[in-house]
Amino acid sequence: MPTFGLAPAWFNSMIQASTKAMTIAFAAQQVIGLRLTMLAANGNTSTNRREVERMVTEKMDAVNESGRVLFELAGSMAQAVPTMFFDPKAAERMLNRAAKAGDRALTPFERRVTANKKRLSR
C-alpha cells in the first residue's frame, strides 16, 4: 500500500481506503461474471438457489458489519465535534478516525468478494 511520508495520517488512510474500494470494484465485477456463468450453466437447480441465498445473506452480513463501524464513528464524532472547532489537534484526530473507519467499513466487503472470487474460480 503506498504511503506518503510527509502527508498527514488521515491522507494515507484515505489512500488505503480508496485502494481497497478499487480492489473491491474490480473483484466484484469478476465475481458477478463467474456467478452469472455458473447460474446459466446449471439451470434451475438447488445449487443455484443456494448460491443466490448465499449471495443475499453475505451482502446483508457485510452491510451489518460495516454499519457497526460507521455507527461507532458517528458516536465518537458526536463527542468530538464541540472541541474540533477550538482544537486543531482534535480535528486532525477526528479526520484520522474517520479515514480509518472508512477503510474498516470496506473490509467486510473486501473479505467476502475475495473469498467468492477464489471459490467461484475453481
Side-chain angles (χ1 to χ4, degrees):
M1 206 61 54
T3 58
F4 299 91
L6 298 176
W10 62 265
F11 182 80
N12 287 321
S13 294
M14 290 301 291
I15 295 294
Q16 187 172 343
S18 298
T19 303
K20 188 178 285 187
M22 293 298 293
T23 301
I24 292 168
F26 289 124
Q29 292 300 314
Q30 292 172 320
V31 168
I32 289 167
L34 290 166
R35 272 195 172 129
L36 288 175
T37 303
M38 183 194 78
L39 294 172
N42 290 344
N44 189 14
T45 64
S46 61
T47 302
N48 281 357
R49 283 191 291 279
R50 281 194 306 273
E51 184 65 28
V52 170
E53 288 172 5
R54 180 181 193 159
M55 180 176 58
V56 171
T57 302
E58 285 179 346
K59 283 181 179 49
M60 289 172 34
D61 290 345
V63 166
N64 285 334
E65 286 180 47
S66 293
R68 278 194 296 273
V69 169
L70 297 175
F71 188 74
E72 289 171 13
L73 174 64
S76 66
M77 285 183 82
Q79 293 173 350
V81 165
T83 59
M84 285 174 43
F85 295 107
F86 305 108
D87 182 3
K89 293 285 186 191
E92 187 169 349
R93 282 192 303 272
M94 185 48 48
L95 278 172
N96 289 340
R97 265 191 232 140
K100 286 178 184 175
D103 182 57
R104 284 182 29 231
L106 291 171
T107 299
F109 294 99
E110 179 187 42
R111 192 173 53 244
R112 284 170 176 82
V113 78
T114 302
N116 283 330
K117 181 179 163 189
K118 183 178 178 180
R119 177 177 59 83
L120 293 168
S121 294
R122 292 186 208 146

